[in-house]
Amino acid sequence: MIYRSHVLVCAGTGCTSSNSLRIIENFHKKLEETGYDKEVQVIRTGCFGLCAAGPIVVVYPEGVYYSHVKPEDVEEIVNEHIIKGRPVQRLIYKEHDESGVNTTLNDSDFYKKQHRIALRNCGMIDPENIDEYIAFDGYKALGKVLTEMTRDEVIDTVIRSGLRGRGGGGFPTGLKWKFAKAPESDVKYVCCNADEGDPGAFMDRSVLEGDPHSVLEAMTIAGYAIGAQQGYIYVRAEYPIAVKRLRVAIGQAREYGLLGDNIMDTGFKFDIDLRLGSGAFVCGEETALLASIEGGRGEPRPRPPFPAVKGLFGKPTLLNNVETYANICQIILNGPEWFASMGTEKSKGTKVFALGGKINNTGLVEIPMGTTLREVIYEIGGGIPNGKKFKAAQTGGPSGGCIPAQHLDVPIDYDNLISIGSMMGSGGMIVMDEDNCMVNIAKFFLEFTVDESCGKCPPCRIGTRRMLEMLEKITSGKGEPGDIEKLEKLAYNIKAAALCGLGQTAPNPVLSTIRYFRDEYEAHIYEKRCPAGVCKALLQYTIDPEKCRGCSLCARKCPAGAISGEIKKPFVIDPAKCIKCGACMEACKFGAISKK
Amino acid sequence: MKTLKELEAIRQKTLNELNLRKNREDGIRVVVGLATCGIAAGARPVMAAFVDEVNKRQLTNVTVSQTGCIGLCRLEPIVEVYLPGQEKVTYCKVTPDQVGRIVSEHIVNGNPVMEYTIGNFE
Ligand SMILES: Cc1cc2nc3c(=O)[nH]c(=O)nc-3n(C[C@H](O)[C@H](O)[C@H](O)COP(=O)(O)O)c2cc1C
Ligand code: FES
């Protein structure tokens, strides 16, 4: 059925949580009422990337890009735009610097610098309609592989593309495929890591929600290349929309014979099933993940043997990340040279980042490797809210480190990030400004790893807890000289002795904040001061007697009865009673109260 | 089970349907005035006729869209046709039975149907 106009409504997790399903419903209702439902099609898509501006609605053929749409706005969009051809100006997406209005998606600063390969179909197609995937060259790569390429040619293509694992480690994907093909075995497995445990990361979720078939197709190609007939996707149960769309996609692919026996009449057999994870971070680690699929406890085991030799159920197993797979079909179709032409010498192609924290355009961005942090933050990300100063960006989540302002111009790739003490990780990028305390940030990540440590090995189980205790001591004003050195020593020991990647990388956030912000640690320890004004125990609220008018409002607001004074004379705060809640500061009309 | 050939057929068919989501440099745009004045003068059937005709001929590089009032209400329904790299051509008082000619002569063959254009009405 051909329509004259398509209304695309985002049904990613972000927009769904701000009511985009109601928007879709209202469009259907309103179009039917006005008799336009035969001319205008409403399509539910995956994430567009600019979740901060959601819910997102895009109207084609004009490509008009609406942001912050509410269910009650639908009536106006239909009456004005759909019926009379007048885009609703007040809802059109606007740039943060007020540089103007961009009517279409591709013209916005957020999209201009991006290069979408893994996210190519997200926000373009209906993820629950296999035909739309097929229309944009879906299952063409699988056809090519099954009818024109040998298994070695497929692997060679992936090797020559230079693709490296997007799950964090950055291991060359083609090489991994080669290792998994090598052993002779009648049973092998292809697995997909969709556990995505980094706090703040949602790249993989968006791919699965917006373009699930791209992962199914790539896994099938991998199955052909290494000689496997069964695939598993390990996806966390906290991703209900992704799980649902994967189920729909697997059902459709089976119906079309793109999974199952005799795929495309070539005699090749492959099927995929889902396994739901319960959200333990360590289950993202490959050996723990495989143990969890087998139905065991999600605990890592020492390597070697590597999964390529002895993996799931003791059989040779290939495990790749969602985003890694999302690149495969494009590499097959466009050739390895095309892919290798993007990026830096040792990091090819693009990388998806989940931008979060103190940044205007919170959302998903896919950029060529080698883009600088400055471009990501100031051009694509729209800069830092309220004119605040950039302090650092954390990449690699709890395994990574922070990148301070002096490295804003370093081209982002695997090796550069490691050399400046952080890592690519899976793509979480949290931006911090002058109001963030770096000791506190390190503490936050360590709290996470202490919680998530599986407990199997002592360096991780006990060591990270001791580190956390030291950080708690420092942030509560009880730090002593020598603490920094002790932290560093323990950190290096844990890194050297832990069993799996979780423990080996857990000290990184502490080490990298010490490396770049040692002065903040020192201020906490020696001066009992938190320069960013975050650590409560180190704060002092004081009333400036010059500015205080003696109105007594603060004293009445104080829940601890810590403020006293006489009307019309300056009031004072008793530091012994003050619980540092900040209520007085908020209440004061004269700006007389400050915290230091 | 779908063979490669069948997949290709699905691809072609769906691609036609999705065509208007693609940004095309070589695209031809037909824009119909659909403000209150246009609708009152009968622009909806004209729009429908364009959509029909374009689909029938599988003109994948043509999009039909709508616009507001151009300010020439007495000449509605007004249709503007944009061919890449050329001046736009404006048709006035278009009726559904004129649409076939506009599509075949102008959009397919590149020769505007002069007798329907605005020059004949001013
Ligand atoms: C503690 C820990 C957590 C991990 N979590 C994830 C994860 O959530 N998703 C992921 O793809 N890889 C994760 N990894 C990396 C995997 O072990 C593995 O290297 C990766 O899935 C391989 O795929 P790739 O080569 O395509 O990147 C984690 C590793 C460790 C040590
Ligand atoms: S969820 Fe809608 S734009 Fe990301």
Side-chain angles (χ1 to χ4, degrees), chain A residues 139-201:
Chain A
Y139 290 104
K140 210 176 187 173
L142 180 61
K144 181 173 170 186
V145 163
L146 292 183
T147 56
E148 297 170 24
M149 295 171 81
T150 65
R151 295 164 60 192
D152 285 320
E153 276 168 358
V154 175
I155 292 176
D156 186 56
T157 302
V158 180
I159 290 179
R160 281 193 294 137
S161 74
L163 175 65
R164 292 169 67 173
R166 303 295 194 236
F171 191 82
T173 305
L175 213 52
K176 208 185 231 184
W177 289 28
K178 195 172 157 186
F179 292 155
K181 172 175 184 272
E184 284 298 326
S185 172
D186 48 344
V187 180
K188 291 187 186 179
Y189 297 101
V190 170
C191 294
C192 173
N193 191 339
D195 193 50
E196 197 162 51
D198 280 10

Side-chain angles (χ1 to χ4, degrees), chain A residues 9-18 20 45-56 65 110-111 202 205-206 209 362-364:
Chain A
V9 184
C10 178
T13 291
C15 293
T16 300
S17 64
S18 40
S20 67
T45 71
C47 174
F48 281 85
L50 198 53
C51 311
I56 304 285
Y65 186 37
F110 184 72
Y111 277 90
F202 56 99
R205 184 185 75 202
S206 294
E209 285 176 359
T362 309
L364 269 200

Side-chain angles (χ1 to χ4, degrees), chain A residues 1-2 4-6 35-36 39 43 60 62 81-85 106 124 131-132 134-136 138 143 147 256 262 264-265, chain B residues 1-4 7 10-11 14-18 20-23 34-36 39 44 47 51 55 63-68:
Chain A
M1 176 81 185
I2 301 204
R4 72 163 165 89
S5 175
H6 291 177
Y36 278 78
E39 294 171 29
I43 297 119
Y60 286 100
E62 301 90 333
H81 187 162
I82 305 287
I83 298 186
K84 297 195 185 135
N106 294 327
M124 272 306 277
D131 289 357
E132 293 205 352
I134 291 172
F136 290 138
T147 56
Y256 276 24
N262 195 18
M264 292 179 183
D265 208 10
Chain B
M1 187 205 53
K2 301 270 189 267
T3 60
L4 273 175
L7 281 184
I10 295 175
R11 177 167 300 127
T14 319
L15 204 51
N16 277 344
E17 297 170 7
L18 302 192
L20 71 176
R21 282 185 229 164
K22 287 217 150 164
N23 249 343
L34 271 184
T36 312
I39 293 173
R44 292 240 11 230
M47 174 108 189
V51 173
N55 290 343
T63 57
V64 182
S65 60
Q66 73 284 54
T67 186

Side-chain angles (χ1 to χ4, degrees), chain A residues 224-542:
Chain A
Y224 171 77
I226 71 157
Q229 298 184 341
Q230 178 64 43
Y232 290 103
I233 301 176
Y234 188 81
V235 55
R236 51 176 47 222
E238 289 107 318
Y239 284 179
I241 299 178
V243 170
K244 171 169 171 252
R245 295 205 180 135
L246 276 171
R247 288 219 167 100
V248 171
I250 290 174
Q252 290 172 341
R254 282 184 186 147
E255 192 182 310
Y256 276 24
L258 300 166
L259 285 176
D261 299 337
N262 195 18
I263 293 173
M264 292 179 183
D265 208 10
T266 59
F268 176 63
K269 174 180 170 188
F270 190 78
D271 206 351
I272 297 176
D273 284 300
L274 299 185
R275 286 293 175 269
L276 302 195
S278 313
F281 180 57
V282 75
C283 285
E285 195 278 337
E286 55 184 19
T287 59
L289 181 144
L290 297 178
S292 177
I293 294 182
E294 289 171 2
R297 240 181 119 115
E299 280 185 349
R301 60 158 177 80
R303 294 170 305 177
F306 285 93
V309 179
K310 204 162 179 274
L312 191 60
F313 303 112
K315 302 292 182 189
T317 300
L318 172 73
L319 175 70
N320 278 124
N321 161 266
V322 171
E323 190 188 332
T324 313
Y325 284 125
N327 283 296
I328 294 290
C329 299
Q330 291 294 301
I331 292 174
I332 301 282
L333 289 176
N334 300 325
E337 295 76 19
W338 162 81
F339 192 80
S341 71
M342 288 169 282
T344 63
E345 197 196 333
K346 288 192 182 144
S347 306
K348 301 301 188 188
T350 58
K351 176 78 192 90
V352 183
F353 285 98
L355 261 187
K358 307 282 180 63
I359 184 99
N360 276 318
N361 297 334
T362 309
L364 269 200
V365 302
E366 181 169 353
I367 47 165
M369 295 276 189
T371 306
T372 64
L373 194 57
R374 188 185 301 282
E375 289 170 287
V376 174
I377 291 174
Y378 290 98
E379 293 176 30
I380 300 172
I384 293 169
N386 308 322
K388 295 273 181 173
K389 229 176 87 197
F390 171 84
K391 189 183 224 171
Q394 168 88 15
T395 60
S399 312
C402 62
I403 308 171
Q406 76 234 48
H407 291 313
L408 268 175
D409 292 308
V410 172
I412 298 174
D413 72 7
Y414 288 99
D415 311 285
N416 283 343
L417 288 189
I418 290 194
S419 74
I420 57 175
S422 184
M423 64 185 276
M424 180 78 80
S426 59
M429 185 181 281
I430 300 168
V431 180
M432 291 167 284
D433 69 5
E434 50 195 297
D435 293 339
N436 287 102
C437 164
M438 300 313 282
V439 187
N440 195 52
I441 293 284
K443 194 176 100 195
F444 167 80
F445 281 110
L446 221 62
E447 275 165 2
F448 180 84
T449 31
V450 166
D451 262 2
E452 295 291 343
S453 169
C454 75
K456 186 165 175 174
C457 76
C460 175
R461 180 182 70 236
I462 305 172
T464 55
R465 179 161 289 277
R466 291 292 97 81
M467 283 183 74
L468 177 60
E469 284 164 6
M470 282 193 233
L471 289 173
E472 278 166 352
K473 195 174 132 197
I474 294 172
T475 51
S476 61
K478 300 186 188 114
E480 296 164 72
D483 277 354
I484 301 178
E485 293 70 20
K486 262 196 233 164
L487 264 177
E488 285 177 318
K489 189 162 169 229
L490 185 51
Y492 286 116
N493 284 337
I494 295 173
K495 278 173 80 79
L499 169 63
C500 84
L502 196 157
Q504 288 157 11
T505 58
N508 287 351
V510 178
L511 287 174
S512 95
T513 44
I514 293 182
R515 172 169 171 184
Y516 293 115
F517 299 96
R518 202 180 183 99
D519 53 326
E520 285 196 30
Y521 279 83
E522 286 170 350
H524 282 75
I525 296 173
Y526 298 103
E527 301 163 36
K528 306 286 177 228
R529 186 169 67 82
C530 174
V534 173
C535 297
K536 260 194 177 177
L538 298 176
L539 293 182
Q540 281 274 27
Y541 283 84
T542 46

Side-chain angles (χ1 to χ4, degrees), chain B residues 28 57 59 83 86 100-112:
Chain B
I28 297 175
R57 293 169 170 267
L59 304 174
L83 262 58
Q86 289 180 26
R101 259 189 85 191
I102 298 179
V103 172
S104 61
E105 292 180 21
H106 185 182
I107 295 178
V108 177
N109 293 321
N111 306 313

